[in-house]
Amino acid sequence: MKNVISLKNVSFRYDSRQDWALRDINLTVYEGEWLTIVGGNGSGKSTLVRLINGLLQPALGEVAVCGMLTCNPLHLRNIRQHVGMAFQNAENQIVGLTVWEDTAFGLHHIGVSPEQADARCRSVLQMLGLYERKDHPPYLLSGGEKQKLALAGVLAMEPKVIIVDESASMLDSKSAQQIHEIMSELHRNQVTLIQVTHEVEEIFTADRLVVMQKGMIRFDGTPQAAARNSSVFTDSGLLPPFSVRMRDVATLRGLNLPAMSEFEFADL
Ligand SMILES: Nc1ncnc2c1ncn2[C@@H]1O[C@H](COP(=O)(O)OP(=O)(O)O)[C@@H](O)[C@H]1O
Ligand SMILES: [Mg+2]
């Protein structure tokens, strides 16, 4: 498999802070992979994804996207075209005067023809259920709709890698489900996905799970492997997925249940 993102011995700390936000991170993300990142508040998830699209630079180590180092200023523009990031501070991502203009904004800068830009905008706004509101000014949208608009702008650019940082998520459960379905569709189309979420029930659709704890990677493997050991979650301050808790209770009572997603349980 081709690797799209690689972090080698990466450490980072914010200027204003003494302690390291990330310590000696080694991570490779492969083309077409769906990687989900979970971890307690302040464990370094957002810092990690900001390093990936070059918003932050590592203090030690190196970050490469499609073989291009983020520390090379000549590569940054190209890297940001490859890696689209949505959600964290959706408000700050909004630049257009209308929903439509905002979605189309980035396209004017990458040489997409006006016809193609129109087609892409229409398609992503329809997919996200924002098409009817295309002429509205973004400030009239709800918090969740603004998050969707931020995602619309990213999807329209058709990047190779999409990062969704849900840490400030204002999505209701219906919208969250909708976003999850869109991610599944992107995954079927070989887009590389990096999803930061605090919804542990969502992890089972990912190919791979990374659990962050105090600026370090506590676990890196399949969600199913993580589910075998509830301390992977509890040590990081997370409530394990429902199925994992259920199995632990069953085990205490002498029953032998496999770990599976809530949905697989429902199908039994
Ligand atoms: N802009 C910032 N300035 C200073 N410290 C920060 C900043 N952003 C995050 N941090 C600190 O870095 C650590 C990791 O934060 P963050 O990556 O936002 O974690 P997470 O996304 O997992 O909640 C935390 O200790 C946090 O307080
Ligand atoms: Mg965060």
Side-chain angles (χ1 to χ4, degrees):
M1 269 191 296
K2 204 170 135 195
N3 95 48
V4 246
I5 287 159
S6 94
L7 286 87
K8 286 193 191 128
N9 305 107
V10 168
S11 295
F12 177 85
R13 90 179 143 195
Y14 290 94
D15 287 340
S16 55
R17 307 275 302 241
Q18 282 230 305
D19 44 342
W20 294 93
L22 291 176
R23 275 181 288 174
D24 202 27
I25 300 286
N26 285 288
L27 180 70
T28 305
V29 185
Y30 297 94
E31 193 165 53
E33 194 169 41
W34 180 340
L35 171 71
T36 290
I37 304 175
V38 296
N41 278 338
S43 59
K45 306 179 296 294
S46 296
T47 306
L48 179 66
V49 295
R50 283 186 211 131
L51 280 155
I52 293 175
N53 85 341
L55 276 174
L56 298 175
Q57 291 296 332
L60 301 168
E62 60 183 41
V63 179
V65 174
C66 301
M68 296 175 284
L69 289 176
T70 60
C71 62
N72 183 341
L74 297 174
H75 287 161
L76 268 187
R77 200 186 142 94
N78 212 341
I79 285 173
R80 301 232 170 99
Q81 257 182 57
H82 283 306
V83 182
M85 184 155 129
F87 278 13
Q88 178 85 355
N89 310 323
E91 297 270 354
N92 302 348
Q93 287 193 13
I94 293 171
V95 284
L97 292 177
T98 64
V99 166
W100 180 273
E101 238 183 61
D102 191 75
T103 309
F105 184 79
L107 294 173
H108 301 313
H109 299 281
I110 59 165
V112 174
S113 73
E115 298 76 38
Q116 222 184 354
D118 282 1
R120 285 197 200 178
C121 288
R122 193 174 317 111
S123 145
V124 298
L125 289 175
Q126 279 169 344
M127 185 159 68
L128 287 160
L130 287 174
Y131 188 71
E132 279 71 46
R133 319 198 63 181
K134 67 181 169 55
D135 301 318
H136 288 219
Y139 67 83
L140 288 182
L141 301 180
S142 71
E145 284 168 336
K146 281 181 190 150
Q147 290 187 335
K148 285 191 193 171
L149 181 57
L151 183 60
V154 171
L155 291 178
M157 300 285 281
E158 299 182 352
K160 277 191 180 160
V161 182
I162 293 182
I163 301 178
V164 178
D165 187 343
E166 295 176 3
S167 54
S169 190
M170 287 180 277
L171 296 172
D172 57 30
S173 57
K174 185 168 165 260
S175 300
Q177 175 70 25
Q178 204 181 4
I179 303 286
H180 202 76
E181 277 159 20
I182 290 170
M183 293 188 67
S184 300
E185 177 65 22
L186 292 165
H187 184 51
R188 282 191 289 275
N189 291 324
Q190 302 299 309
V191 177
T192 307
L193 296 174
I194 301 177
Q195 174 195 26
V196 175
T197 181
H198 34 210
E199 187 43 83
V200 290
E201 300 304 337
E202 283 186 1
I203 64 171
F204 293 99
T205 42
D207 297 317
R208 192 162 142 218
L209 178 72
V210 159
V211 182
M212 298 291 297
Q213 186 184 352
K214 294 190 183 137
M216 291 186 286
I217 293 180
R218 161 75 172 78
F219 174 89
D220 181 352
T222 64
Q224 289 72 22
R228 281 186 215 121
N229 183 357
S230 53
S231 70
V232 165
F233 300 95
T234 51
D235 288 355
S236 307
L238 299 167
L239 188 65
F242 169 77
S243 61
V244 175
R245 285 181 282 140
M246 176 100 157
R247 186 208 49 215
D248 286 353
V249 171
T251 308
L252 280 177
R253 308 222 163 142
L255 282 165
N256 198 0
L257 281 181
M260 52 183 121
S261 74
E262 200 178 350
F263 306 102
E264 286 169 305
F265 256 112
D267 285 342
L268 278 182

